Amino acid sequence: MKKLILLITAVILSHTFVLSQACLCGGITFTSQSQIDNFQANNPGCMEIGGDVTIYGSGITNLSGFSVLTSIGGNLNIGSFENGGIPLLTSLTGLNNLTSIGGNLGIKYNDALTSLTGLDRLNSIGGYLSIGWNALTSLTGMEGLAFIEGDLEIRNNYNLTSLTGLDNVTFIGGFTFIDNNIALNSLSGLQNLTSIEGDLYIGNNYPLTTLSGMDNVTSIGGNLYIYFNGALTSLTGLECLTTIGSIILQGNDALSSLTGLDNVTSITGSLW
């Protein structure tokens, strides 16, 4: 009886071990809804994709077929400049069990994507996070994310009014690029961010009046570029910043004061 129990236990453990192994290490591309719907049937037990995942196509309406995925070892691209986006996709529901992405996360050229709901359990990105050319009004759905090891790029999201959804991000390992979000009136959502290792670019966000939302940023490893934010009247929001590389201010026609830089004691580069 003991031998039988041991044998059954060994089989169960072996089966579990197999299920937990990375699959599709060479990556996989999805261009149709049927490919997504049949993902689990075609790849039984595949919960951790080892390679890159690329998704694009005019007929894709939902990502429900990915509900078993827990991690992606490579990059995840949902729409792309090279291949076009996913014009009918309105949310990312289906990725609800995804907790980590080893490489980059790109979400681009998805004309109907109004929500990032579905990424709620994602807590780490090993590369950059790039979100652009979508119909998003906020970044709600990414509240589980705490660390971005690479760059953060938020650009050309024409309906985006705030950065709510990034509320728990404390560290960005590369540069931060917030550009040409023409409805962006607040940086709310970045209030827990304390450190940016690279440059910080904030430009062409026309309704933005202050930098409030970045109130806890104490260090920027690179340079600070603030340019062509037509309604920006002050730099309020940068009060915790003490050291910086260079500060470049250009084309902010309503900027009448440098209030917000009061605690900067060292500029290692240039002030322009």
Side-chain angles (χ1 to χ4, degrees):
M1 182 58 123
K2 288 183 179 179
K3 290 182 178 180
L4 180 59
I5 292 173
L6 288 172
L7 179 60
I8 293 173
T9 302
V11 170
I12 292 173
L13 289 174
S14 174
H15 186 59
T16 302
F17 180 75
V18 169
L19 288 179
S20 66
Q21 296 303 291
C23 50
L24 300 171
C25 292
I28 186 169
T29 297
F30 299 88
T31 59
S32 70
Q33 186 63 51
S34 62
Q35 287 177 304
I36 295 173
D37 294 341
N38 294 322
F39 169 70
Q40 295 180 44
N42 294 337
N43 302 277
C46 183
M47 300 167 62
E48 302 176 6
I49 294 179
D52 297 339
V53 176
T54 301
I55 309 166
Y56 65 91
S58 59
I60 294 174
T61 58
N62 70 80
L63 306 181
S64 298
F66 298 134
S67 61
V68 297
L69 283 182
T70 59
S71 71
I72 294 172
N75 305 321
L76 171 58
N77 289 303
I78 302 171
S80 70
F81 174 76
E82 296 81 7
N83 301 307
I86 311 175
L88 300 180
L89 189 68
T90 59
S91 83
L92 303 183
T93 300
L95 297 175
N96 305 70
N97 289 310
L98 187 65
T99 59
S100 67
I101 297 172
N104 307 318
L105 172 57
I107 304 171
K108 298 180 180 180
Y109 296 96
N110 304 296
D111 297 338
L113 187 65
T114 58
S115 169
L116 297 181
T117 298
L119 292 177
D120 312 74
R121 294 188 181 181
L122 182 65
N123 56 52
S124 67
I125 297 174
Y128 65 67
L129 170 61
S130 181
I131 300 175
W133 295 275
N134 303 293
L136 300 167
T137 57
S138 75
L139 304 181
T140 300
M142 302 203 76
E143 287 80 1
L145 190 62
F147 298 97
I148 301 172
E149 296 296 335
D151 305 325
L152 172 64
E153 182 182 48
I154 310 293
R155 63 185 304 188
N156 298 303
N157 300 284
Y158 302 130
N159 299 321
L160 191 68
T161 59
S162 80
L163 303 182
T164 299
L166 297 178
D167 306 69
N168 292 310
V169 173
T170 60
F171 172 84
I172 297 172
F175 69 70
T176 298
F177 195 75
I178 302 171
D179 183 83
N180 205 34
N181 304 289
I182 60 176
L184 189 69
N185 57 45
S186 169
L187 297 182
S188 176
L190 295 179
Q191 56 267 18
N192 285 314
L193 181 63
T194 60
S195 177
I196 298 171
E197 293 293 287
D199 299 333
L200 171 60
Y201 297 82
I202 301 175
N204 298 304
N205 306 292
Y206 305 117
L208 197 63
T209 58
T210 73
L211 303 184
S212 294
M214 306 200 75
D215 307 74
N216 290 310
V217 174
T218 59
S219 67
I220 297 174
N223 305 315
L224 174 62
Y225 300 87
I226 301 176
Y227 52 96
F228 299 107
N229 302 285
L232 191 68
T233 57
S234 80
L235 303 181
T236 300
L238 296 179
E239 285 82 358
C240 286
L241 191 62
T242 57
T243 61
I244 187 73
S246 295
I247 298 178
I248 295 92
L249 308 175
Q250 182 181 11
N252 305 289
D253 293 340
L255 188 64
S256 57
S257 141
L258 297 185
T259 298
L261 296 179
D262 309 68
N263 293 313
V264 172
T265 58
S266 174
I267 301 175
T268 59
S270 59
L271 172 62
W272 181 34

